[in-house]
Amino acid sequence: MLDARFVRENIDALKSALQKRGYDRGYDIDLSEFLSLEEERLRLMREAEEMRNKRNVVSEEIGRLKKQKQDAENLIVEMKGVSDRIKEIDETLKGIEEKTGLFLLNIPNIPHESVPVGKDETENVEIRKWGELRVFDFEPLNHWDIAETLDIIDFERGAKIAGARFAVMKGLGARLERALMNFMLDLNTSKGYKEIFPPILVNRESMTGTGQLPKFSEDLFRTVDPEFYLIPTAEVPVTNIYRGEILREDQLPIYYTAYTPCFRREAGSYGKDVRGLIRQHQFNKVELVKFTKPEDSYSELEKLTDDAEDILQKLGLPYRVVALCTGDMGFSSAKTYDIEVWLPGQQRHREISSCSNFEDFQARRANIRFKREGKKGTEFVHTLNGSGLAIGRTVVAILENYQQKDGTVTVPEALRQYMGADIIK
RNA sequence: GGAGGGGUGGCUGAGCGGUUGAAAGCGACGGUCUUGAAAAUCGUUGUAGGGGCAACUCUACCGUGAGUUCGAAUCUCACCCCCUCCGCCA
């Protein structure tokens, strides 16, 4: 969320930011209406405060008169009128604040100046590449074909039990899933990230705090009674750990890593990635989350991305890092690097991690602040997160990159102690 | 699910419907004292919004929301959360 005052005072900067994002159309109320509502809001607020002041002063006087057994009937009648007027203004204000609040909640973050301007994913910019693409002396298969032969993933029965976009992991497939969780958590914690295992059902406030609500409710699974939301990423519960809190400067930066299942409706992606493990309603992910001081957040983003890349390097999976352009970046992010792993079965790179700096966008929504030593007042922290990594897609990458001509799959060196096996066969 | 108790400032904990933004204690910070520290002692110590160049000033906030009242931390209702006991249960 952007600050109302910031919007009031930086209307042109905001307009150009929205344009770069391709967000310039489709608002319920536009910026100029917002501005006039704000003007009205400030005017009414001042009037109400003035009247409250009057009420406070006179009420005190009434108390004094009554104590002295004097008549205060005139004042009481007068104050009744004042109170009625305050109530009237408050109601109008509430209506206005509902509109302006919703408007602010629906404005995306302003991209950082270093973010390439572009309309969609075709204009993302490759930053670097790592790893040699393996040369196959046979036609590499898709992971779903490999998995079927090895009988380690059962898509049909996943569909029977739950529906499309669900899978059953079996045997060494299930073991691989578990091995990856442990491998990633161990690696991340060895770098100073504290391990967190949070709730995976959360309330509306948490979803609003990180930016999934109110705008993206169609992407979420929800329970009805009582109402909970299934998290689409550990970012939600982990970032909300400090919702509404004021941290001390010396607590920052905070590094957390969390394994959780993730749940996504994938509404609007019909027909995309219908086969295989790439796009599931339920998937496992290990997440990296940081809370930092504002001046550190961009160097922390680089470090966070390095940490995510390191996982792929240790697994020997070739990848590239792209900077998302303004048109492809997520709603809450100020800057995002995607890490895309090479999938020989599909002959293309696929996103396996997304590392973002949200600056104070989430912190403002979730009201996460910190206090500097010896300074008055508080500031919003900066929040960052990135996958470290998406486990299902890592399974895909391992199956496709490490497949052998005979249909078996070599287990990456770093994973063998976790797998208790060298080969999946 | 049933019965009961409770949610107040960084923490502990008072608080008759009327100078209570909130006693007291602890902690923290600053001063005095001390060679230094401790002890003692004095003082300071919430957040947010509005107005003003500023000193400053006004407003709101005692779980959340609504209500009663000239006036609510204090009364009423609903909801949320926590604790204890019972039941059920991985």
Side-chain angles (χ1 to χ4, degrees):
Chain A
M1 180 166 59
L2 300 176
D3 184 42
R5 190 164 48 190
F6 174 87
V7 173
R8 290 201 300 266
E9 292 167 2
N10 298 277
I11 202 76
D12 290 328
L14 179 59
K15 272 184 187 165
S16 95
L18 289 171
Q19 209 149 29
K20 285 181 196 164
R21 272 184 177 270
Y23 265 76
D24 50 328
R25 287 181 300 277
Y27 279 100
D28 294 324
I29 50 175
D30 66 9
L31 289 171
S32 64
E33 190 183 343
F34 172 79
L35 289 180
S36 64
L37 279 173
E38 273 289 289
E39 206 172 295
E40 177 75 355
R41 185 177 74 85
L42 291 177
R43 193 181 64 72
L44 286 172
M45 209 180 67
R46 266 174 240 137
E47 189 184 342
E49 283 192 359
E50 228 166 83
M51 305 202 77
R52 278 205 172 84
N53 177 235
K54 186 171 181 187
R55 187 178 71 182
N56 287 346
V57 171
V58 175
S59 286
E60 204 173 298
E61 176 65 18
I62 291 172
R64 205 171 306 134
L65 288 174
K66 287 210 158 181
K67 219 172 252 176
Q68 298 165 6
K69 304 281 186 223
Q70 292 186 35
D71 179 57
E73 203 45 46
N74 292 343
L75 291 177
I76 289 178
V77 169
E78 190 191 342
M79 282 311 101
K80 193 159 179 57
V82 171
S83 274
D84 287 345
R85 175 65 187 145
I86 290 174
K87 194 173 283 184
E88 208 177 285
I89 295 174
D90 279 350
E91 255 157 54
T92 313
L93 268 177
K94 205 175 154 187
I96 292 174
E97 278 164 6
E98 228 161 79
K99 281 191 203 167
T100 56
L102 194 62
F103 179 73
L104 288 172
L105 283 174
N106 280 296
I107 296 183
N109 202 355
I110 293 179
H112 187 252
E113 58 188 11
S114 66
V115 172
V117 176
K119 64 177 190 311
D120 56 33
E121 70 275 4
T122 61
E123 298 188 62
N124 293 343
V125 175
E126 184 176 297
I127 303 292
R128 58 184 167 267
K129 273 182 153 164
W130 183 90
E132 294 291 316
L133 302 195
R134 182 176 152 199
V135 180
F136 289 86
D137 56 359
F138 60 97
E139 188 71 24
L141 298 174
N142 273 309
H143 67 278
W144 56 81
D145 289 329
I146 302 166
E148 191 180 2
T149 310
L150 293 169
D151 194 29
I152 56 172
I153 306 177
D154 191 335
F155 292 102
E156 269 181 45
R157 293 203 175 91
K160 176 172 73 180
I161 297 166
R165 297 199 191 284
F166 287 93
V168 179
M169 310 292 287
K170 302 197 289 191
L172 285 178
R175 179 73 182 237
L176 179 59
E177 195 86 7
R178 177 159 62 95
L180 284 167
M181 290 173 202
N182 285 330
F183 166 68
M184 291 178 192
L185 284 172
D186 285 350
L187 185 57
N188 295 339
T189 52
S190 78
K191 291 173 185 164
Y193 292 86
K194 181 183 267 191
E195 185 169 342
I196 302 287
F197 190 62
I200 61 180
L201 297 183
V202 302
N203 55 30
R204 174 181 290 273
E205 289 73 25
S206 292
M207 283 295 182
T208 306
T210 32
Q212 282 73 23
L213 289 178
K215 202 172 165 58
F216 304 102
S217 61
E218 68 278 6
D219 296 336
L220 301 171
F221 286 108
R222 170 170 76 93
T223 66
V224 173
D225 187 22
E227 184 185 80
F228 286 115
Y229 291 86
L230 280 71
I231 59 167
T233 159
E235 157 193 352
V236 176
V238 176
T239 306
N240 276 282
I241 284 176
Y242 293 115
R243 173 153 51 84
E245 298 193 23
I246 300 174
L247 303 168
R248 293 188 321 272
E249 181 178 17
D250 63 26
Q251 289 179 275
L252 300 174
I254 294 169
Y255 291 5
Y256 285 155
T257 184
Y259 152 75
T260 67
C262 303
F263 303 91
R264 296 185 184 179
R265 288 263 295 277
E266 296 297 348
S269 67
Y270 302 111
K272 264 190 208 164
D273 305 308
V274 287
R275 295 201 68 182
L277 222 49
I278 290 286
R279 198 177 294 273
Q280 297 273 294
H281 284 311
Q282 173 187 331
F283 61 97
N284 293 313
K285 183 158 59 68
V286 172
E287 188 76 0
L288 303 167
V289 175
K290 290 185 177 184
F291 303 83
T292 76
K293 292 195 263 185
E295 62 270 29
D296 299 330
S297 66
Y298 277 95
S299 61
E300 292 286 358
L301 174 63
E302 298 300 323
K303 280 163 60 185
L304 187 146
T305 309
D306 287 347
D307 290 336
E309 285 176 56
D310 187 40
I311 301 170
L312 287 169
Q313 293 181 12
K314 292 214 160 41
L315 291 172
L317 294 168
Y319 65 85
R320 63 174 188 164
V321 178
V322 301
L324 296 194
C325 72
T326 51
D328 195 32
M329 216 164 53
F331 178 78
S332 302
S333 178
K335 181 167 188 170
T336 298
Y337 293 117
D338 271 8
I339 303 174
E340 300 181 338
V341 70
W342 175 251
L343 298 182
Q346 304 186 20
Q347 287 294 302
R348 58 178 289 208
H349 287 95
R350 291 302 301 251
E351 176 189 337
I352 196 166
S353 174
S354 192
C355 302
S356 302
N357 183 0
F358 303 91
E359 298 186 1
D360 64 2
F361 187 84
Q362 293 181 326
R364 181 172 278 112
R365 287 177 162 246
N367 199 20
I368 306 172
R369 292 169 291 171
F370 77 103
K371 205 180 182 68
R372 284 190 203 270
E373 201 78 33
K375 266 202 163 182
K376 268 196 173 173
T378 59
E379 294 174 52
F380 289 110
V381 302
H382 279 196
T383 62
L384 300 86
N385 67 60
S387 344
L389 304 162
I391 293 184
R393 291 188 178 184
T394 309
V395 168
V396 169
I398 289 172
L399 294 181
E400 295 197 8
N401 280 281
Y402 283 91
Q403 60 181 301
Q404 304 301 315
K405 199 170 189 172
D406 64 1
T408 64
V409 174
T410 310
V411 175
E413 193 73 42
L415 226 46
R416 290 184 186 167
Q417 54 167 315
Y418 291 94
M419 279 294 282
D422 295 355
I423 294 178
I424 302 174
K425 60 181 178 187

